[in-house]
Amino acid sequence: MSAPAALSLEAVREELPAVAAYAAAAGLAVDANALSESILRFHVAFRNAAGENFTAEFDCRDYPMYPPTIEFVDASRTTRGTLALYPAGFHGMPCVCARYNRKAYSERGGPHGDWRLVDWQLPTGNGVALDTLTMIVSDLHSKISHSTGRLG
């Protein structure tokens, strides 16, 4: 089952102003210039505690029915998912291990066969639901800004 691209695009466009406001306040850069029905992706640039730059790609196909697929990419956005592109602190496979990342689910090659995609918006063990793009960017920012180094 999948969501129509037009629905996903509408949902992302509705949430992007809040993502941009958070990013501006946090000193992050958001690039959604290519966002369209055929390219349901945007990028956020993060910096870790050591001053290293990381770019996360948010692939929002089927959003909000399913979480985005979050992958770290190089500056040219042509290489993705290698250990060297990931900040330290994530699984060594590499993967952002969170319910809000579609890549973390076993059906997408991730480590979690115990999670169901349809449950991605449920509260975490802390009782907080990370169920909007702004909350996801905020959580990633918190994790990355406190990390040092890279996975590989």
Side-chain angles (χ1 to χ4, degrees):
M1 183 178 221
S2 64
L7 176 68
S8 294
L9 179 62
E10 179 182 340
V12 173
R13 282 188 174 155
E14 284 179 9
E15 292 189 39
L16 272 177
V19 171
Y22 172 82
L28 308 175
V30 176
D31 180 358
N33 292 332
L35 187 67
S36 68
E37 275 190 42
S38 62
I39 303 172
L40 286 166
R41 291 185 301 272
F42 68 93
H43 298 85
V44 179
F46 297 93
R47 187 174 286 238
N48 71 3
E52 296 173 285
N53 296 315
F54 298 89
T55 300
E57 178 180 80
F58 293 75
D59 183 337
C60 296
R61 284 177 282 180
D62 300 322
Y63 182 83
M65 179 184 296
Y66 301 124
T69 298
I70 303 166
E71 189 66 270
F72 286 92
V73 299
D74 68 352
S76 67
R77 300 177 185 165
T78 57
T79 302
R80 56 189 28 81
T82 66
L83 288 173
L85 296 174
Y86 271 74
F90 292 104
H91 276 299
M93 61 180 294
C95 178
V96 174
C97 185
R99 286 187 187 267
Y100 58 71
N101 183 15
R102 200 165 174 178
K103 184 180 177 182
Y105 293 81
S106 62
E107 59 237 42
R108 296 292 296 257
H112 285 284
D114 56 329
W115 294 351
R116 297 179 330 150
L117 273 172
V118 296
D119 295 335
W120 82 270
Q121 294 174 319
L122 292 177
T124 64
N126 299 344
V128 177
L130 301 175
D131 57 358
T132 67
L133 296 171
T134 304
M135 291 294 289
I136 294 168
V137 169
S138 172
D139 188 64
L140 279 174
H141 178 236
S142 175
K143 288 173 170 52
I144 295 166
S145 67
H146 290 96
S147 73
T148 56
R150 297 177 179 270
L151 282 183

